[in-house]
Amino acid sequence: MARAWSLKSRPQGMPTMDNFELVELGTRDLKDGEIRVANSWLSVDPYMRGRMNDVKSYTPPFELGAPMQGGAIGKVIESRSDTYKEGEMVQHFAGWRDEAVLPADQAQSLPQLDVDPQAYLGQLGMPGMTAYFGLLEVAGAKEGDTVFVSAAAGAVGSTVVQIAKAKGCRVIGSAGGAEKCAWVESLGADAVIDYKSGTPVVKALGEVARTGIDVYFDNVGGEHLDAALAHGNQGARFAICGMIDVYNSGKATELRYLARLIGMRMRVQGFIVSDYMDRAAEFYRDMGGWLKDGKLKRNETVFDGLDAMPDAFLGLFTGGNTGKMLVRV
Ligand code: NDP
């Protein structure tokens, strides 16, 4: 019998297992135009924490007691649609469950790049697109820029590092712990900050960015954002992608260097990746080229089994992943 995770109660602060419930979905016959998909890979992403709150946002809150949603990849095992045949691999948004029944027009075929299917949930999917458009469009990163990126060992951050290098930028990454920092360096970063080493980020960044930074790709907020403000050059551009430091705490960020925005004519812009979905072809063209040229590396942290889904999700907030966090069903 198909099973799904539902949100039992809304978390206050860091979610706990008590907020989640694994429920049986039952089985029903397909209607015309529907497909049944056996999910093989499920995505957990930091933005899902926002959907657990009952607040108005760019995406609606998860409904209490209903199966949660998220990125998923699986095989069509039954079809009443002309679009997909049994055996085809598709991606869709009915994640957090082992089997999904959905209208065929809510699924997409996998792009034809030479990668494992789960890569389309990470570097070759939504997180990769976030890195690509955030860095190149929102921040307008160009050759010669010094780019600083936080959560640089994560799905988005590790892709930012590599795209920035492919574009001829100098790259400084920040990550938690020596092992992650070594991996970020192996991706081509020119300097890496271990923000858990005890040195304040503002000091550590000053030491490796002697001539300042031109671009900041923010995945974290808080102390990282403040450090970037402290070292932003004239006309620096900030792509505000995420602020994982405050997703659970909701704490106010003290920005001691905010006023530098004025004199340094810096630009700070938030964005949501879905704004760029109609330009996905550009992303696949460039990423496909860099893949062929051996310029892209990726890593995955994999939890096994649907039961492990909440643990994988919670691991995002304690640095449990290097590269993309995934669940293999
Ligand atoms: P990651 O793969 O980067 O996973 C999260 C990582 O964040 C952890 O591994 C951890 O790495 C780091 N982290 C967690 N808590 C903290 C903290 N308090 N301070 C510093 N680092 C922390 O996730 P994604 O790549 O999927 O997402 C990265 C960011 O991008 C998130 O903020 C997310 O919300 C945002 N995002 C935004 C999108 C948009 O459209 N705007 C779309 C997709 C993602 P470490 O061990 O180094 O601490």
Side-chain angles (χ1 to χ4, degrees), residues 46 130 154-156 176 180 195 219 241-242 245 247 271-273 316 319 321:
T130 304
V156 174
K180 285 194 180 187
Y195 78 93
N219 287 314
C241 172
D245 190 39
Y247 290 174
F271 71 100
I272 297 295
V273 61
L316 292 168
N321 61 305

Side-chain angles (χ1 to χ4, degrees), residues 117-148:
Q118 70 272 23
Y120 297 113
L121 293 175
Q123 191 172 68
L124 279 311
M126 183 279 283
M129 239 181 253
T130 304
Y132 179 88
F133 289 108
L135 181 69
L136 302 180
E137 286 294 318
V138 181
K142 56 184 189 318
E143 193 176 347
D145 280 345
T146 295
V147 173
F148 175 44

Side-chain angles (χ1 to χ4, degrees), residues 80-322:
R80 285 192 62 182
S81 144
D82 296 335
T83 316
Y84 299 110
K85 294 189 183 56
E86 280 172 31
E88 265 187 75
M89 294 295 288
V90 290
Q91 55 182 329
H92 59 87
F93 214 63
W96 288 88
R97 69 199 81 184
D98 49 14
E99 191 180 290
V101 170
L102 66 157
D105 62 6
Q106 288 179 17
Q108 293 95 39
S109 300
L110 301 187
Q112 296 297 304
L113 296 174
D114 188 19
V115 290
D116 298 327
Q118 70 272 23
Y120 297 113
L121 293 175
Q123 191 172 68
L124 279 311
M126 183 279 283
M129 239 181 253
T130 304
Y132 179 88
F133 289 108
L135 181 69
L136 302 180
E137 286 294 318
V138 181
K142 56 184 189 318
E143 193 176 347
D145 280 345
T146 295
V147 173
F148 175 44
V149 51
S150 49
V156 174
S158 62
T159 309
V160 169
V161 169
Q162 297 176 80
I163 297 175
K165 285 312 295 177
K167 287 286 180 183
C169 303
R170 174 166 190 262
V171 180
I172 301 167
S174 162
E179 211 172 306
K180 285 194 180 187
C181 287
W183 186 60
V184 174
E185 216 157 14
S186 78
L187 302 177
D190 300 276
V192 187
I193 291 170
D194 176 359
Y195 78 93
K196 289 185 176 168
S197 70
T199 308
V201 181
V202 66
K203 185 165 183 289
L205 183 59
E207 282 164 10
V208 292
R210 296 267 178 221
T211 54
I213 61 166
D214 304 300
V215 166
Y216 175 48
F217 193 106
D218 192 16
N219 287 314
V220 167
E223 193 192 352
H224 281 83
L225 175 57
D226 205 28
L229 287 165
H231 296 289
N233 286 335
Q234 187 74 235
R237 291 89 63 205
F238 286 35
I240 306 297
C241 172
M243 293 196 180
I244 197 164
D245 190 39
V246 301
Y247 290 174
N248 289 304
S249 69
K251 69 186 175 202
T253 297
E254 193 197 348
L255 296 174
R256 288 172 300 160
Y257 297 97
L258 189 63
R260 288 194 80 249
L261 283 176
I262 308 160
M264 299 309 277
R265 284 93 166 163
M266 293 191 251
R267 176 166 62 74
V268 179
Q269 193 185 323
F271 71 100
I272 297 295
V273 61
S274 51
D275 301 344
Y276 296 93
M277 285 303 172
D278 60 342
R279 293 175 56 184
E282 291 170 47
F283 165 76
Y284 286 114
R285 181 200 61 208
D286 285 354
M287 294 295 273
W290 289 322
L291 260 181
K292 274 204 192 105
D293 296 345
K295 286 187 176 159
L296 292 180
K297 291 185 201 166
R298 64 191 165 82
N299 209 336
E300 286 154 3
T301 300
V302 177
F303 280 63
D304 271 304
L306 183 68
D307 292 36
M309 198 80 191
D311 285 333
F313 172 69
L314 294 174
L316 292 168
F317 302 99
T318 52
N321 61 305
T322 301

